[in-house]
């Protein structure tokens, strides 16, 4: 029974570890492959325990299953999106590779009839190395997991502090911080800056109270988030004004995006707690910094924002509920 329970525990360790890391790294765990490999390892263990087959068969099936699971773990960690914990992920995969190598060597030795040298109670050099690698693996995997959880919590807390509490969009301060980290890419690929202002927002506050105004702002922010890509940056720029930085966006695409926001806002309505519906419209101004021509730095960004801001004032002066490019107000065209 000790033999059976020990091997069942070993088969459970790597899959459970993979599930924990899958949740941490926000990736899908290869469940079907894990179940299949565990079934292969378990079949060998059960055959030795119940059918009294040769020990080599149990060692071989267990070693192959464990080695394959470690390869799966390395592949899963390697495929995790983003740069979160990149250096720790490399450490993990180094241990996954080392562990897989040890188990595949054990499988080869069992296949050659040397199962006694790699059995659990063997005093051979190979078994000592395997036990040392296993101890190192479990220690490293545990420590790295704790460190990465701490980093994830720190990252999420810092991200929450950079978000506006009502809308969930970046704050104005966070916007400039994020842009400064992407300055080189923005310069190389260009961008468009879109300023969005909610028309007659004071009237909404007067008629429906500040709670009603907040509900409309939150709804508008969700709408902006739905229309932006992952590479774009959506910001609550101040009050009822929003800003969207469109990465690698041409003048034509920026114009379509701006007009789409205007059209979509005109079709939206927000239902209040008292059953009344609130409708709202957008005035939008936009300007572009073409690829290869944008100057790095906050000064350049603020110049583009100023152009978009003047275009926004032109949209309001022309009657609101419309989009205007910077070129209309005598500024540089996109």
């Amino acid at each position: 029974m000790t033999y059976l329970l020990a091997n069942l525990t070993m088969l459970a360790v790597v899959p459970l570890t993979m599930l924990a890391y899958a949740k941490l790294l926000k990736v899908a765990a290869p469940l079907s492959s894990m179940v299949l490999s565990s079934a292969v390892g378990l079949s060998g263990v059960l055959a030795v325990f119940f059918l009294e087959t040769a020990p080599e068969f149990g060692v071989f099936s267990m070693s192959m299953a464990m080695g394959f699971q470690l390869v799966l773990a390395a592949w899963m960690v390697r495929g995790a999106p983003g740069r979160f914990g990149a250096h720790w992920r490399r450490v993990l995969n180094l241990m996954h590779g080392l562990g897989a190598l040890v188990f595949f060597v054990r499988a080869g030795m069992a296949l050659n009839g040397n199962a006694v040298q790699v059995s659990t109670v063997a005093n051979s050099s190979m078994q000592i190395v395997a036990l040392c690698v296993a101890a190192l693996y479990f220690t490293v995997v545990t420590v790295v997991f704790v460190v990465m959880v701490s980093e994830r919590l720190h990252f999420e807390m810092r991200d929450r502090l950079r978000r506006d509490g009502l809308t969930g969009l970046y704050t104005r301060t966070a916007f400039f911080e994020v842009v400064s980290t992407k300055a080189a890419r923005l310069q190389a690929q260009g961008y468009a800056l879109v300023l969005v202002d909610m028309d007659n927002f004071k009237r909404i506050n007067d008629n429906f109270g500040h709670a009603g105004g907040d509900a409309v702002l939150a709804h508008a922010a969700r709408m902006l988030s739905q229309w932006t890509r992952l590479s774009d940056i959506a910001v609550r720029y101040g009050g009822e004004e929003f800003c969207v930085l469109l990465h690698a966006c041409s003048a034509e695409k920026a114009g379509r995006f701006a007009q789409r926001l205007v059209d979509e806002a005109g079709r939206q309505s927000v239902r209040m707690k008292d059953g009344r519906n609130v409708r709202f419209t957008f005035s939008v101004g936009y300007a572009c910094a073409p690829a290869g021509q944008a100057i790095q730095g906050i000064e350049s960004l603020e110049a583009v924002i100023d152009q978009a801001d003047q275009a926004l004032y032109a949209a309001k002066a022309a009657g609101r509920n419309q989009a205007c490019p910077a070129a209309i107000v005598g500024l540089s065209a996109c």
Side-chain angles (χ1 to χ4, degrees):
M1 187 60 70
T2 303
Y3 165 80
L4 182 61
L5 291 177
N7 281 283
L8 288 176
T9 302
M10 286 180 62
L11 278 174
V13 167
V14 177
L16 290 175
T17 303
M18 289 175 68
L19 290 174
Y21 272 100
K23 188 171 184 179
L24 176 63
L25 297 173
K26 299 181 179 180
V27 296
L31 293 175
S32 57
S33 299
M34 285 194 297
V35 171
L36 180 61
S37 57
S38 295
V40 170
L42 183 60
S43 65
V45 172
L46 294 178
V48 174
F49 186 77
F50 289 107
L51 303 179
E52 298 183 356
T53 58
E56 287 82 1
F57 183 67
V59 174
F60 175 78
S61 63
M62 274 291 297
S63 298
M64 288 299 295
M66 297 287 289
F68 180 69
Q69 288 178 350
L70 287 168
V71 171
L72 282 177
W75 187 261
M76 183 192 74
V77 171
R78 182 179 180 274
R83 294 181 295 176
F84 168 69
H87 52 294
W88 292 115
R89 281 151 54 181
R90 285 192 288 270
V91 172
L92 273 178
N93 278 350
L94 176 62
M95 294 309 304
H96 287 142
L98 183 60
L101 177 63
V102 168
F103 277 109
F104 287 144
V105 169
R106 292 183 82 242
M109 293 182 68
L111 199 61
N112 289 329
N114 296 321
V116 175
Q117 296 184 30
V118 290
S119 66
T120 308
V121 295
N123 195 29
S124 65
S125 58
M126 178 59 206
Q127 184 60 14
I128 293 173
V129 169
L131 292 174
C132 289
V133 170
L136 181 62
Y137 172 80
F138 293 129
T139 302
V140 171
V141 166
T142 303
V143 171
V144 168
F145 185 80
V146 172
V147 171
M148 290 184 71
V149 167
S150 177
E151 285 188 0
R152 173 68 73 182
L153 292 174
H154 177 73
F155 172 80
E156 291 178 350
M157 183 179 298
R158 185 178 61 181
D159 190 61
R160 280 196 297 269
L161 292 174
R162 299 166 76 179
R163 299 278 180 175
D164 174 63
L166 175 63
T167 63
L169 303 179
Y170 279 117
T171 63
R172 183 170 179 162
T173 301
F175 169 62
F176 286 102
E177 291 176 356
V178 172
V179 169
S180 66
T181 64
K182 301 180 178 182
R185 190 172 63 171
L186 292 174
Q187 181 194 33
Q189 300 179 354
Y191 61 91
L193 202 290
V194 181
L195 285 180
V196 182
D197 191 77
M198 190 172 290
D199 296 326
N200 302 311
F201 184 69
K202 185 178 183 301
R203 186 184 304 168
I204 296 175
N205 270 337
D206 291 341
N207 292 336
F208 299 95
H210 289 288
D214 287 348
V216 174
L217 285 174
H219 181 89
R222 286 194 296 271
M223 192 188 84
L224 282 174
S225 298
Q226 290 173 358
W227 290 113
T228 53
R229 303 164 299 179
L230 292 176
S231 59
D232 302 330
I233 306 172
V235 187
R236 186 182 181 187
Y237 203 62
E240 67 274 17
E241 190 173 9
F242 302 94
C243 174
V244 181
L245 188 147
L246 302 171
H247 175 245
C249 183
S250 66
E252 182 182 359
K253 290 180 179 179
R256 287 202 300 267
F257 176 82
Q259 189 59 49
R260 194 178 192 181
L261 290 179
V262 172
D263 295 340
E264 185 64 25
R267 292 190 289 265
Q268 298 282 325
S269 65
V270 183
R271 191 171 183 83
M272 298 290 106
K273 291 182 178 180
D274 59 7
R276 291 182 294 173
N277 289 321
V278 183
R279 302 189 69 86
F280 63 91
T281 59
F282 282 156
S283 292
V284 181
Y286 62 95
C288 297
Q293 299 180 30
I295 302 173
Q296 289 191 36
I298 296 300
E299 296 80 4
S300 172
L301 175 63
E302 289 181 340
V304 179
I305 292 174
D306 184 61
Q307 293 180 19
D309 193 43
Q310 294 185 50
L312 174 60
Y313 277 110
K316 285 187 169 294
R320 297 185 173 88
N321 192 25
Q322 59 186 282
C324 285
I328 284 182
V329 292
L331 299 166
S332 59
C334 294

